[in-house]
Amino acid sequence: YPKEIADIYHQSDQLVFQTGLPQINREDSFIDDQNKKRFILTSKIPIKNENGEIIGLVGIDRDITKQKMAEETVKYERNLLRTLIDNLPDAVYVKDKDFRKIIANTTEVKFMGFESEDEVLGKSDYEVYTKEVADSSFTDDKYVFTSGQPQLNKEGFFIDNQNKKHWTLNSKVPIRDEKGMIIGLVGIGKDITDRKDEEFRLKLFESVITNATDAVAVTEIDPNDVHNHKIIFVNESYTKMTGYSKEDVIGKSPSILQGPKTDKTELARVAEYIKNYQPCEFEVINYKKNGEEFWSAISISPITDGNKNYTHWIAIKRDITEHKKIEQELIKAKEKAESGSKAKSEFLANMSHEIRTPLNSVIGFSDLLHKSKLDDIQRQYVSAVFNSANSLLDIINEILDFSKIEAGKLEIENEKTDIFELGYQVADVISYQAYKKDLELLLNIGLDVPRFIWTDAVRIRQVLINLLGNAVKFTTTGEVELKIEILQKDIEGKSIFRFSVRDTGIGINPENQQKIFEAFSQEDASINRKFGGTGLGLAISRRLINLMGSELKLESTPQVGSTFYFDLKLKAMDGEAIEWKNLYEYKKVLIVDDNVNNRHILKDMLALRLINCDEAENGLEACNKLEAGNKYDLVLMDYHMPVMDGITAIEKIRNELKLTELPIMLLHSSADDASINSACQELNVHQRLVKPIKIENLFDSLSKIGISNNQRKIKLKEIDVKQPAHLKEYKVLVVDDNMFNILLIKTIITQILPNAQISEASNGNEAVELYRSVQPDIIFMDIQMPEMNGYDAAKVIRSIEKLNRIPIIALTAGTLKDEKERCLEAGMNDYVSKPFVSSTIVSAIDKWLVSTFEKSFVI
Ligand code: ADP
């Protein structure tokens, strides 16, 4: 034998000899000389002598290689099969003739919602599925068993052990034994749930698209030319909308709907999107099969094949012909309305000019008449005319402003404005009304407020005057305060200012606090009857503040009072500090005023110059303080106080307390009260200040008191001896197409310049002629005139005049924006707004005529 097998035989021989035991059916394998594996089966039995000693052995060998190999193959085949079916993506199972599962591959076990094959084996469908599913499966099984035919690819569904629904594609094939008898069946199930879902979704989409009211068209992109699309699908709405049948359009280009009126520029724009596969929306005119035009709103989006390759476009169209019609009508209506509103505001501007011209005469002449010699009744009548004309003018101005704002014609200016001056001016406008109603008017400008702001001063003034006017109108006792404070300083070069107007009046009911800001609306009709007014003031103010980028706000309690306020973010700049002389002389000042807010304001102002204060609420308290020996450098004495008024207190100070030299400054509400006048002279009141007190006036007066009386007297004398300029023979040219206005201005001029020679012109041409022949010293020039207007006349005069620039003062109606700028542009020096009263003309003459000659003119 070869060595390998000899070794094996030797080993087993030894085992028999050593143990004395037989070796039965021992299997050994080896590789033979042809390099093949061989198996042998050996049995060895010991041969013993009579003494029981082993003397040999009997051996039987059999070559079992063939048999062994066959067994191995079977074993591998089974495992192989199992491994194979377990790794199949499809579910595979075998059922026996009792309809019970005897094999289930891994996919089937999972598919059924179980963990291991054991849970499934031996079970019939009735133990696993719902009756409906098991019945159907049972019918199929029976068919296969009885017919012996396979059943292929049958769709079905079942609910698995986890309650999940699966869609399946089932095939069942009979299994036969060697004799051809059917002993079972093998089933293969494919999970087609995803496919089914997809199908369902597609069906859903299809029905949505088919039933959509919008027309839908799907086009296929030619892979060789992205601009070439062919329609592959259209829905019902598409055929209805266009009149084309499906057959008409499938395979055609979507441009089939375009025609002569389809906007080519719009199509070119869309082509750009298409080139870049970007979705896009557009509106164009399309054409139906019968040639009828319709507007369609189209939205197109590209579709990819899932691999980022663009393959199709989907277009959704809507017929918007009706919308377009309405849109066109709306545009037309809007244009019409706009031109109507333009016509309206032009009409209003013209009307108001026409109304102002006669009103100018009414106001001007009644003012003159008022100053002439009249008896009391006549004076009353004239002032009624004057006041009514002024109210009429206010109303016209309000209506005009409102219509301008409504027409979006009002623009907000931005100019450097002295905030203190602004406060003083509005307070001055209101102070007389407040005085008449015996109200305390407080002007409270924060001392840290920078001097200059950039804003529309005219409009802020208008709002503040309106708010203050209302405050005075709706307040019977107490006070009205205008407060300007700084809320936040210097953020991005701007500061936030708060302007507020507070009163202690009737207040406004909460339910009306919104309403009063609307146009023509007042809190209630009874208030209107009692107080009058158009109800436009707040509406205008609110809109003006809105135009300035802010809100007009209100806090109010009925019977307690109201505060209207607004905040503005404005560019601001501190002004140069004004130096007042002699202020250091004041160490301690006594403030006598019954209004606590007023005392505070004065105290704050004086504190700015490090002046200490003591306070008294009325004349009596002040006298007591003085009598008690308190020393003051100055007494600031309010005139109007309860218990003891200012004049009575000063009388007591001078006559009883004998403080004849103690400087006293009287604070009162109106400058022209004759009794105050004479009392002040008698009682040696050093200065008088009209309330509300302005910081500049206060410091001015304080520093003036420091100058000795003698010096002042000398100064006054000097002025008196100068020869009055107004007696000179000035040549004045007056240009206006309205004869009453000419008469008015002539009358005013003659009153102040009695020797003036006045020439008249009724239009620009005449004015230029007279300018040449008369060579006037000053011209008052109306703007709106026939033949040649004021601007042109001024330009002509400027072009022909030689060295001297003659003052030309425009008489503007002030209704048109930029009217004033245009006057200055045309070369005029200044403007006077109509209606003018004598004092306006006086200031203009003082500024432009007398200053040209000598500054000693006294009115
Ligand atoms: P007008 O004063 O011309 O009536 P406004 O628009 O200025 O119009 O004011 C509208 C209404 O708001 C007034 O009629 C009044 O009822 C109310 N109102 C305005 N300001 C005040 C205020 N300070 N106190 C009380 N009520 C006020």
Side-chain angles (χ1 to χ4, degrees):
Y1 293 119
K3 182 162 185 320
E4 292 88 8
I5 191 160
D7 281 349
I8 293 168
Y9 284 164
H10 185 69
Q11 254 181 24
S12 59
D13 285 353
Q14 264 190 333
L15 221 70
V16 173
F17 285 124
Q18 276 164 12
T19 61
L21 299 171
Q23 294 271 310
I24 306 295
N25 287 346
R26 178 186 146 121
E27 256 185 45
D28 287 303
S29 65
F30 65 96
I31 307 296
D32 72 6
D33 46 1
Q34 267 141 41
N35 248 339
K36 281 191 174 161
K37 193 167 181 178
R38 300 269 302 271
F39 292 90
I40 33 177
L41 189 72
T42 32
S43 294
K44 290 182 180 173
I45 299 148
I47 306 168
K48 297 179 181 167
N49 61 13
E50 30 316 348
N51 298 333
E53 291 163 318
I54 303 170
I55 53 165
L57 57 78
V58 181
I60 306 161
D61 294 344
R62 187 146 47 101
D63 188 335
I64 56 162
T65 306
K66 251 195 188 150
Q67 176 196 342
K68 209 53 195 165
M69 286 308 242
E71 268 176 27
E72 288 280 290
T73 309
V74 168
K75 197 167 98 204
Y76 277 108
E77 271 174 0
R78 226 189 30 238
N79 282 343
L80 179 75
L81 202 66
R82 187 72 218 191
T83 314
L84 264 179
I85 66 165
D86 272 346
N87 284 300
L88 276 181
D90 295 340
V92 178
Y93 56 87
V94 174
K95 279 179 182 172
D96 62 12
K97 281 217 76 164
D98 298 327
F99 307 97
R100 287 180 185 272
K101 282 205 175 121
I102 53 166
I103 295 175
N105 76 346
T106 322
T107 313
E108 166 76 354
V109 173
K110 263 200 234 146
F111 202 16
M112 292 170 71
F114 290 100
E115 302 261 302
S116 78
E117 195 181 4
D118 288 344
E119 294 174 89
V120 178
L121 292 193
K123 287 189 178 156
S124 82
D125 289 341
Y126 284 96
E127 285 148 305
V128 186
Y129 302 124
T130 58
K131 180 158 185 310
E132 188 196 359
V133 171
D135 276 347
S136 147
S137 172
F138 180 68
T139 317
D140 296 342
D141 290 354
K142 247 184 30 202
Y143 167 79
V144 173
F145 282 131
T146 49
S147 72
Q149 296 296 318
Q151 196 198 46
L152 299 174
N153 293 335
K154 190 180 167 197
E155 253 184 35
F157 73 88
F158 70 90
I159 315 282
D160 74 10
N161 196 38
Q162 314 289 330
N163 251 335
K164 208 174 126 196
K165 184 169 180 171
H166 296 267
W167 282 94
T168 55
L169 195 64
N170 276 308
S171 297
K172 292 178 180 179
V173 181
I175 307 176
R176 296 166 196 271
D177 65 8
E178 314 81 67
K179 291 177 204 135
M181 297 292 290
I182 296 175
I183 51 164
L185 64 79
V186 57
I188 301 173
K190 260 189 202 312
D191 187 347
I192 54 164
T193 314
D194 287 349
R195 201 191 81 198
K196 275 299 233 197
D197 284 352
E198 191 62 20
E199 272 175 24
F200 177 73
R201 269 205 299 275
L202 280 177
K203 271 209 186 105
L204 199 73
F205 284 144
E206 204 179 298
S207 89
V208 168
I209 289 177
T210 313
N211 298 313
T213 47
D214 286 341
V216 178
V218 178
T219 57
E220 193 175 48
I221 303 173
D222 181 344
N224 301 317
D225 177 5
V226 292
H227 288 295
N228 191 10
H229 304 166
K230 263 192 219 135
I231 297 177
I232 55 158
F233 169 87
V234 290
N235 68 350
E236 298 288 321
S237 299
Y238 184 97
T239 55
K240 265 192 221 145
M241 189 182 292
T242 62
Y244 286 106
S245 70
K246 286 192 180 173
E247 293 69 38
D248 288 337
V249 292
I250 300 286
K252 300 272 166 54
S253 156
S255 62
I256 190 168
L257 301 182
Q258 295 167 10
K261 286 201 194 161
T262 312
D263 187 346
K264 299 286 172 310
T265 6
E266 187 65 354
L267 292 179
R269 184 180 74 88
V270 175
E272 278 303 301
Y273 282 87
I274 292 180
K275 204 167 85 189
N276 299 313
Y277 298 107
Q278 279 171 351
C280 150
E281 285 174 7
F282 56 103
E283 291 176 0
V284 285
I285 293 178
N286 275 166
Y287 291 83
K288 297 187 181 179
K289 190 177 179 183
N290 63 10
E292 196 186 318
E293 283 172 21
F294 69 102
W295 266 100
S296 70
I298 306 170
S299 130
I300 56 170
S301 327
I303 302 174
T304 62
D305 61 359
N307 281 327
K308 296 184 181 155
N309 298 318
Y310 294 98
T311 56
H312 296 83
W313 283 87
I314 181 162
I316 299 172
K317 279 172 183 295
R318 181 169 290 184
D319 185 339
I320 52 160
T321 314
E322 274 308 302
H323 292 255
K324 276 281 167 189
K325 248 192 222 156
I326 296 170
E327 195 180 289
Q328 299 293 350
E329 277 163 17
L330 278 177
I331 291 174
K332 266 191 211 141
K334 187 173 159 254
E335 278 166 4
K336 217 169 141 188
E338 273 170 1
S339 73
S341 136
K342 201 172 153 216
K344 188 185 83 180
S345 64
E346 270 164 18
F347 167 78
L348 272 167
N350 285 336
M351 268 311 287
S352 92
H353 177 258
E354 294 306 317
I355 297 172
R356 275 156 187 259
T357 307
L359 208 53
N360 193 28
S361 304
V362 177
I363 292 175
F365 281 115
S366 54
D367 180 52
L368 283 180
L369 201 55
H370 194 262
K371 288 180 179 139
S372 65
K373 229 177 159 223
L374 297 174
D375 65 33
D376 282 354
I377 298 287
Q378 285 168 330
R379 197 172 295 280
Q380 258 180 36
Y381 292 170
V382 170
S383 51
V385 172
F386 182 76
N387 288 337
S388 309
N390 269 313
S391 320
L392 186 57
L393 185 70
D394 285 345
I395 294 170
I396 292 168
N397 284 341
E398 278 193 347
I399 292 175
L400 187 72
D401 264 350
F402 186 73
S403 75
K404 258 199 226 161
I405 296 173
E406 288 294 273
K409 286 260 165 57
L410 199 129
E411 275 165 38
I412 292 297
E413 309 285 332
N414 198 21
E415 59 200 357
K416 187 175 170 186
T417 307
D418 183 331
I419 202 167
F420 287 82
E421 204 176 298
L422 180 95
Y424 300 163
Q425 278 175 1
V426 294
D428 279 345
V429 173
I430 297 300
S431 65
Y432 184 70
Q433 296 168 35
Y435 161 74
K436 286 277 256 251
K437 289 189 79 177
D438 211 0
L439 299 173
E440 193 73 47
L441 178 63
L442 306 172
L443 177 63
N444 187 358
I445 306 182
L447 299 167
D448 55 343
V449 167
R451 180 151 203 115
F452 297 105
I453 51 173
W454 273 257
T455 187
D456 191 327
V458 174
R459 295 307 173 182
I460 293 205
R461 204 174 293 141
Q462 183 179 357
V463 171
L464 292 177
I465 289 174
N466 175 42
L467 296 178
L468 284 167
N470 277 347
V472 170
K473 184 156 119 185
F474 296 106
T475 305
T476 39
T477 54
E479 62 193 32
V480 167
E481 179 185 35
L482 167 62
K483 189 167 173 185
I484 304 175
E485 60 198 311
I486 189 151
L487 294 187
Q488 241 180 329
K489 227 171 184 172
D490 246 347
I491 11 158
E492 300 152 11
K494 292 191 169 183
S495 301
I496 300 179
F497 294 84
R498 171 163 295 182
F499 297 79
S500 36
V501 172
R502 180 180 62 81
D503 65 48
T504 53
I506 60 171
I508 299 155
N509 275 326
E511 64 266 28
N512 292 325
Q513 291 187 3
Q514 219 34 52
K515 195 178 100 183
I516 55 163
F517 288 106
E518 286 157 23
F520 304 106
S521 143
Q522 294 172 322
E523 199 187 343
D524 70 42
S526 63
I527 289 185
N528 184 19
R529 271 193 303 281
K530 193 163 158 205
F531 295 96
T534 54
L536 272 179
L538 286 179
I540 293 171
S541 299
R542 191 189 72 170
R543 283 168 172 77
L544 288 175
I545 297 300
N546 287 350
L547 284 176
M548 293 184 206
S550 182
E551 288 286 331
L552 180 58
K553 294 187 182 149
L554 163 66
E555 275 165 18
S556 179
T557 315
Q559 307 316 324
V560 174
S562 313
T563 303
F564 287 86
Y565 64 96
F566 54 93
D567 298 340
L568 293 178
K569 191 169 172 186
L570 304 169
K571 182 179 153 195
M573 190 180 85
D574 287 321
E576 278 182 21
I578 305 169
E579 266 312 309
W580 283 280
K581 287 184 185 138
N582 305 321
L583 293 195
Y584 56 85
E585 287 178 8
Y586 300 95
K587 300 278 179 287
K588 191 151 192 189
V589 169
L590 175 63
I591 302 172
V592 193
D593 196 320
D594 57 324
N595 185 291
V596 57
N597 289 321
N598 218 4
R599 291 203 302 272
H600 276 171
I601 295 172
L602 288 170
K603 213 170 134 181
D604 283 351
M605 288 178 177
L606 291 171
L608 216 59
R609 285 288 177 274
L610 304 175
I611 301 170
N612 284 325
C613 295
D614 202 354
E615 297 174 35
E617 267 186 35
N618 53 54
L620 190 63
E621 203 184 316
C623 290
N624 290 343
K625 289 203 175 210
L626 288 166
E627 207 168 2
N630 289 309
K631 293 267 175 281
Y632 302 105
D633 301 312
L634 172 76
V635 177
L636 283 177
M637 179 74 75
D638 185 27
Y639 169 58
H640 201 91
M641 287 180 295
V643 186
M644 183 188 283
D645 71 34
I647 295 292
T648 319
I650 298 171
E651 270 168 9
K652 201 171 162 192
I653 293 169
R654 296 289 189 233
N655 301 335
E656 291 178 28
L657 304 178
K658 303 282 178 218
L659 295 168
T660 47
E661 290 306 314
L662 172 64
I664 300 180
M665 206 185 280
L666 184 71
L667 315 176
H668 63 102
S669 298
S670 172
D672 52 6
D673 193 312
S675 61
I676 292 184
N677 233 339
S678 56
C680 283
Q681 278 182 4
E682 254 170 50
L683 296 168
N684 188 22
V685 170
H686 294 69
Q687 289 282 327
R688 285 164 40 183
L689 280 180
V690 179
K691 289 169 112 181
I693 305 303
K694 294 137 206 168
I695 189 163
E696 280 182 10
N697 294 356
L698 175 70
F699 290 166
D700 256 356
S701 302
L702 286 176
S703 69
K704 272 185 200 149
I705 292 176
I707 305 172
S708 75
N709 278 346
N710 279 344
Q711 270 173 312
R712 274 196 295 152
K713 275 178 193 153
I714 291 163
K715 268 200 161 182
L716 276 171
K717 259 193 179 163
E718 265 175 12
I719 293 169
D720 286 344
V721 292
K722 284 213 168 167
Q723 205 233 323
H726 64 286
L727 294 177
K728 293 201 165 184
E729 295 181 6
Y730 293 117
K731 286 182 277 180
V732 181
L733 172 58
V734 178
V735 192
D736 198 312
D737 59 332
N738 183 292
M739 58 175 283
F740 294 113
N741 273 348
I742 294 232
L743 181 61
L744 174 60
I745 198 161
K746 264 172 70 180
T747 317
I748 296 173
I749 293 170
T750 319
Q751 280 193 350
I752 45 180
L753 303 172
N755 298 329
Q757 297 167 15
I758 303 174
S759 330
E760 306 163 25
S762 64
N763 62 49
N765 282 332
E766 284 179 29
V768 175
E769 280 315 302
L770 280 172
Y771 166 76
R772 282 186 216 272
S773 56
V774 176
Q775 293 288 313
D777 298 312
I778 189 166
I779 303 177
F780 286 93
M781 176 89 78
D782 186 26
I783 296 299
Q784 292 185 352
M785 289 181 297
E787 290 183 47
M788 182 192 280
N789 67 25
Y791 303 128
D792 292 342
K795 279 186 202 153
V796 175
I797 292 171
R798 286 290 176 238
S799 73
I800 54 178
E801 73 187 347
K802 309 243 160 55
L803 276 177
N804 276 344
R805 242 175 98 88
I806 172 176
I808 306 179
I809 316 296
L811 303 170
T812 73
T815 49
L816 302 173
K817 193 188 148 20
D818 66 8
E819 198 176 52
K820 290 172 182 170
E821 288 89 87
R822 283 181 67 191
C823 291
L824 299 181
E825 267 166 31
M828 305 197 205
N829 301 66
D830 203 349
Y831 44 77
V832 166
S833 291
K834 286 180 185 176
F836 44 79
V837 289
S838 52
S839 58
T840 2
I841 302 296
V842 168
S843 329
I845 289 180
D846 182 32
K847 184 168 167 196
W848 292 106
L849 183 61
V850 179
S851 58
T852 338
F853 292 82
E854 57 189 291
K855 183 75 197 161
S856 61
F857 178 59
V858 182
I859 306 154

